[in-house]
């Protein structure tokens, strides 16, 4: 079915002369290139334009991040992924005829690829012509596109997109233009995901328990002597999904959401998450949704929530609330990561921890 879908979409793409003309414009040549790309991609692949924008905003806040990959090797504002278990980048290349390099680095090509990948998935889910015109009917497709392994994470990903459709979107694209989605009432058709529920975490009070794959951490640990602050280089739901993928070989104890500071625990404090190489046996890892090069992800809600987690960990395990104990990933010996980066406000964060 997937090969048939790919051939059908490729034929439609070649027939779209108007769309081809629009996508041939380099982003730097047209200040409305992204606006045109979203509209053309929606028309070419019969995917609601506002849904394409909302998915892009949920994944990247419409940022290309200089062609650099996310934690799970996703590229561009539409987060086209190439890893052992997900191949939306390669799928987009097959459907559109664009090179993977162009899909990674060119704004308009990346948008087109994102729409193509979603339409291919819609076909796999049997979403017919009439249903493709209804935003609420796309919910199972969006949930599947996130690549999650468990129902709770599938719903978390799709709910984030539909929350954006309900609240509206206003973001600046890499081309400099403002892309908007008007707020609307949504009633997503969740299907079997409507009955999913959350479980309380075993350690930090108020956290949601959504465990990492057992292939991505080790049972037991030595005594904790530090906490390590990370930035996910990806979305909240996408990071949780990646830690549940047994191919990832990475995890953290906690993941925090940018918008409201929601806390998900993925590895028990008594176990060893794989997040900081040499410091794994003796540290607790806290991931923060966002990208190191974009301070807009570091909201006050997330700072305060993270500080509350760190304060609780220090109080519970007898850790000093000092910068030699509460460290960034980049400060751990033997690591080559740069997070949380220069945009992380350590003075503010520590003032909250020690208040």
């Amino acid at each position: 079915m997937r090969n048939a879908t790919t051939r059908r979409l490729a034929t439609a793409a070649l027939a779209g002369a108007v769309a081809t003309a629009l996508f041939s414009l380099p982003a730097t040549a047209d200040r409305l290139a992204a606006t045109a790309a979203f509209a053309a991609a929606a028309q070419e692949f019969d995917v609601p334009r506002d849904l394409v924008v909302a998915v892009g905003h949920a994944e990247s806040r419409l940022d290309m991040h200089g062609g650099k990959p996310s934690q799970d090797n996703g590229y561009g504002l539409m987060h086209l992924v190439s890893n052992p278990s997900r191949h939306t980048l390669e799928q987009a290349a097959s459907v559109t005829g664009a090179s993977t390099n162009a899909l990674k680095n060119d704004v308009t090509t990346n948008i087109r690829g994102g729409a193509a990948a979603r339409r291919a998935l819609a076909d796999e889910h049997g979403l017919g012509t009439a249903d493709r015109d209804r935003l609420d009917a796309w919910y199972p497709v969006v949930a599947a596109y996130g690549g999650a392994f468990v129902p709770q994470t599938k719903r978390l990903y799709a709910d984030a997109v539909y929350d954006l459709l309900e609240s509206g979107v206003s973001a600046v694209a890499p081309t400099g233009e403002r892309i908007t989605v008007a707020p609307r009432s949504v009633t997503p058709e969740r299907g079997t995901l409507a009955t999913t529920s959350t479980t309380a975490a075993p350690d930090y009070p108020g956290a949601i328990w959504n465990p990492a794959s057992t292939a991505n951490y080790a049972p037991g640990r030595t005594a904790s002597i530090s906490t390590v602050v990370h930035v996910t280089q990806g979305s909240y739901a996408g990071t949780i999904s990646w830690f549940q993928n047994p191919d990832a070989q990475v995890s953290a104890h906690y993941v925090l959401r940018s918008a409201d500071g929601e806390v998900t625990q993925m590895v028990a404090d008594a176990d060893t998450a794989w997040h900081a190489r040499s410091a794994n046996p003796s540290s607790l890892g806290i991931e923060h949704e966002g990208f190191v090069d974009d301070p807009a992800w570091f909201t006050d809600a997330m700072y305060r929530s993270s500080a509350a987690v760190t304060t609780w960990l220090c109080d519970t395990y007898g850790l000093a609330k000092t910068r030699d104990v509460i460290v960034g990933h980049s400060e751990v010996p033997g690591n080559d990561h740069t997070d949380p980066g220069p945009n992380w406000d350590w003075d503010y964060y520590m003032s909250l921890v020690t208040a």
Side-chain angles (χ1 to χ4, degrees):
M1 181 179 292
R2 179 172 293 179
N3 289 338
T5 297
T6 298
R7 287 195 297 271
R8 182 167 61 255
L9 289 176
T11 301
L14 290 172
V18 174
T20 301
L22 282 168
F23 287 117
S24 66
L25 289 172
T28 55
D30 185 358
R31 295 289 286 179
L32 297 180
T35 299
F38 279 117
Q43 181 177 9
E44 182 180 4
F45 296 105
D46 196 15
V47 181
R49 176 265 183 194
D50 288 357
L51 182 68
V52 180
V53 174
V55 169
H57 191 274
E59 289 282 13
S60 70
R61 296 194 178 176
L62 305 187
D63 194 326
M64 291 293 288
H65 301 292
K68 296 178 181 178
S70 67
Q71 181 166 227
D72 57 342
N73 214 45
Y75 291 88
L77 59 85
M78 299 307 300
H79 195 245
L80 296 172
V81 177
S82 177
N83 66 41
S85 60
R86 291 183 67 200
H87 302 281
T88 52
L89 177 67
E90 291 83 0
Q91 183 183 45
S94 177
V95 171
T96 64
S99 69
T100 56
N101 185 61
L103 287 162
K104 290 177 182 180
N105 294 287
D106 181 73
V107 175
T108 58
T109 307
N110 187 266
I111 292 169
R112 186 174 179 234
R118 281 155 187 78
R119 172 58 192 277
L121 192 58
D123 286 350
E124 290 179 15
H125 278 69
L127 201 67
T129 303
D131 283 338
R132 289 199 300 272
D133 291 333
R134 298 190 304 109
L135 272 172
D136 292 334
W138 280 83
Y139 187 94
V141 178
V142 174
Y145 186 82
F149 282 72
V150 299
Q152 291 86 348
T153 310
K154 290 181 180 180
R155 177 165 175 172
L156 180 68
Y157 180 89
D159 280 355
V161 173
Y162 277 80
D163 286 347
L164 286 169
L165 288 169
E166 188 165 49
S167 63
V169 172
S170 179
V172 177
T175 50
E177 63 208 279
R178 184 163 293 279
I179 305 296
T180 61
V181 170
R184 57 164 54 79
S185 177
V186 296
T187 309
E189 298 171 11
R190 293 189 174 94
T192 58
L193 294 179
T195 58
T196 59
S197 59
T198 58
T199 302
D203 295 304
Y204 181 67
I208 297 167
W209 178 240
N210 206 347
S213 167
T214 56
N216 293 336
Y217 68 91
R221 64 179 306 107
T222 58
S224 296
I225 59 171
S226 67
T227 62
V228 180
V229 172
H230 301 265
V231 174
T232 60
Q233 293 301 99
S235 69
Y236 178 63
T239 299
I240 292 169
S241 176
W242 184 232
F243 291 169
Q244 291 174 329
N245 185 330
D247 292 322
Q249 297 293 285
V250 66
S251 63
H253 294 89
Y254 298 95
V255 184
L256 277 75
R257 184 162 62 188
S258 170
D260 56 5
E262 181 178 271
V263 182
T264 289
Q265 183 172 5
M266 301 199 68
V267 176
D269 291 353
D271 292 330
T272 301
W274 296 340
H275 63 101
R277 295 185 183 176
S278 62
N280 287 340
S282 59
S283 65
L284 296 158
I286 307 173
E287 289 275 4
H288 300 82
E289 180 184 25
F291 291 81
V292 295
D293 59 355
D294 186 357
W297 289 91
F298 303 153
T299 63
D300 192 64
M302 188 165 67
Y303 271 122
R304 290 181 178 276
S305 179
S306 176
V309 173
T310 295
T311 298
W312 183 87
L313 292 173
C314 290
D315 290 344
T316 301
Y317 299 113
L319 307 177
K321 297 172 185 176
T322 58
R323 278 286 283 117
D324 59 329
V325 173
I326 303 167
V327 301
H329 193 179
S330 61
E331 298 171 314
V332 175
N335 280 269
D336 58 2
H337 289 247
T338 61
D339 57 312
N343 292 312
W344 183 261
D345 191 338
W346 276 110
D347 289 341
Y348 180 55
Y349 186 66
M350 293 304 297
S351 75
L352 295 172
V353 171
T354 58

